[in-house]
Amino acid sequence: MSSLTETPVAIRPAPAPATPATAQPAAPVAAYPWVRRLLRGIGAVATRVVALAALAVVWEVFPRLGLVDATFLPPLSDVLVAWWQLVQSGELLNHAQASLGRSLAGFGLAIVAAIPLGLLIGWYKPAATLLTPLLEVFRNTAALALLPVFVLILGLGETSKIAIICYACSWPILLNTVSGVRTVDPLLIKSARSLGLGPLRLFQKVVLPAAVPTIFTGIRLAGAYSILILIAAEMVGAKAGLGYLINYAQYNFAVPDMYAGIITISAIGLVVNQVLIITERRFSTWRTTN
């Protein structure tokens, strides 16, 4: 018999069990700036809606409960009914168009005149030395105090109303433009000069962009002034406009119509301010946002 030699079999170690892929942790919300901005915007809108809703409830409930005299402060529902009736009749639209035309005309003229003058005063010292005394005299004179002067010189027509709006809107734009130019970081100016930029290019590339936020602050203030001064101007010798509507409703004791005009003015002011904020963001895209 032949002996059979057994061939040893090599025993291979069992393969290690495959480890499951490590699950990637969910990215925190902070990793997505747009999510954070969206949540922040929703929170801000919700807060404003709650505040406005609370005001509306108080306005509606207090007159009905007799906590305030409904003759002088009618419930909000009555005011909204009067507002809708004015809209349907076309009266409110006509008054709003007249007011917006005057306000935008004076506001636009103020922007065109005040920004170049402010840039000149802020950047060119001889001009500042010459014009600063005059500016100090007129900036401390209230626009409404000069309304009779504008009426006497320019009459009761559209010219005097647009002129007083332009005068009132010019000061916040002018003063903020001067401040924006003068408060530019000196290191930016020195760095630009070290790179060989001339005075014109320095002003165009460094000073003007750095002053844009401050200039728009003045423009937003002027936007509010254009509405406030307009209402006072329309109460003197006007035949149309929201100020005329409010004054006429007061004299005729049409209190809901008066409040309807006030609500319309507030809504227009909010819209104008929001448009200016969006415009400022478009002109300030170079700024970093947190």
Side-chain angles (χ1 to χ4, degrees):
M1 290 180 63
S2 60
S3 60
L4 299 176
T5 59
E6 295 181 357
T7 305
V9 179
I11 300 176
R12 298 179 180 177
T19 57
T22 305
Q24 295 294 331
V29 175
Y32 299 94
W34 65 272
V35 175
R36 184 172 55 187
R37 288 196 299 268
L38 178 61
L39 294 176
R40 188 183 304 169
I42 293 175
V45 171
T47 303
R48 294 175 183 177
V49 170
V50 169
L52 291 176
L55 175 62
V57 170
V58 170
W59 192 346
E60 179 68 25
V61 172
F62 277 29
R64 295 195 180 279
L65 294 179
L67 298 177
V68 296
D69 192 345
T71 304
F72 303 106
L73 182 63
L76 179 60
S77 57
D78 294 348
V79 175
L80 294 179
V81 169
W83 181 87
W84 182 244
Q85 291 175 351
L86 290 172
V87 171
Q88 288 182 320
S89 65
E91 184 178 357
L92 185 65
L93 180 60
N94 293 333
H95 289 305
Q97 286 178 343
S99 294
L100 283 175
R102 296 163 182 155
S103 178
L104 292 178
F107 183 50
L109 289 174
I111 292 176
V112 172
I115 290 181
L117 182 60
L119 294 175
L120 177 65
I121 295 174
W123 185 245
Y124 191 55
K125 291 184 178 180
T129 304
L130 176 64
L131 297 177
T132 296
L134 290 176
L135 297 182
E136 291 298 327
V137 170
F138 285 103
R139 65 174 290 191
N140 294 304
T141 304
L144 291 179
L146 295 176
L147 179 58
V149 178
F150 281 90
V151 171
L152 287 174
I153 296 176
L154 301 175
L156 290 172
E158 299 296 314
T159 305
S160 61
K161 296 175 178 57
I162 294 175
I164 192 66
I165 294 170
C166 178
Y167 176 85
C169 293
S170 295
W171 295 109
I173 300 175
L174 177 64
L175 297 177
N176 278 272
T177 302
V178 173
S179 176
V181 173
R182 290 179 177 176
T183 56
V184 176
D185 190 352
L187 293 178
L188 291 177
I189 298 178
K190 291 180 180 179
S191 300
R193 285 175 175 168
S194 66
L195 294 175
L197 268 68
L200 182 60
R201 297 288 292 177
L202 173 65
F203 182 80
Q204 179 184 2
K205 295 297 184 181
V206 177
V207 176
L208 188 57
V212 163
T214 308
I215 294 174
F216 265 96
T217 300
I219 292 176
R220 288 175 58 189
L221 290 173
Y225 287 177
S226 68
I227 302 296
L228 298 175
I229 300 299
L230 169 69
I231 301 307
E234 287 180 341
M235 291 181 177
V236 180
K239 297 299 181 182
L242 294 174
Y244 168 78
L245 172 64
I246 294 172
N247 203 32
Y248 179 82
Q250 178 193 7
Y251 282 139
N252 290 275
F253 214 69
V255 180
D257 290 353
M258 182 186 72
Y259 282 106
I262 295 173
I263 290 176
T264 304
I265 292 170
S266 300
I268 291 175
L270 290 175
V271 171
V272 169
N273 184 67
Q274 193 61 36
V275 169
L276 293 176
I277 290 175
I278 295 173
T279 306
E280 178 183 1
R281 290 174 181 171
R282 294 293 300 270
F283 279 91
S284 304
T285 53
W286 54 273
R287 299 173 67 189
T288 57
T289 57
N290 295 328

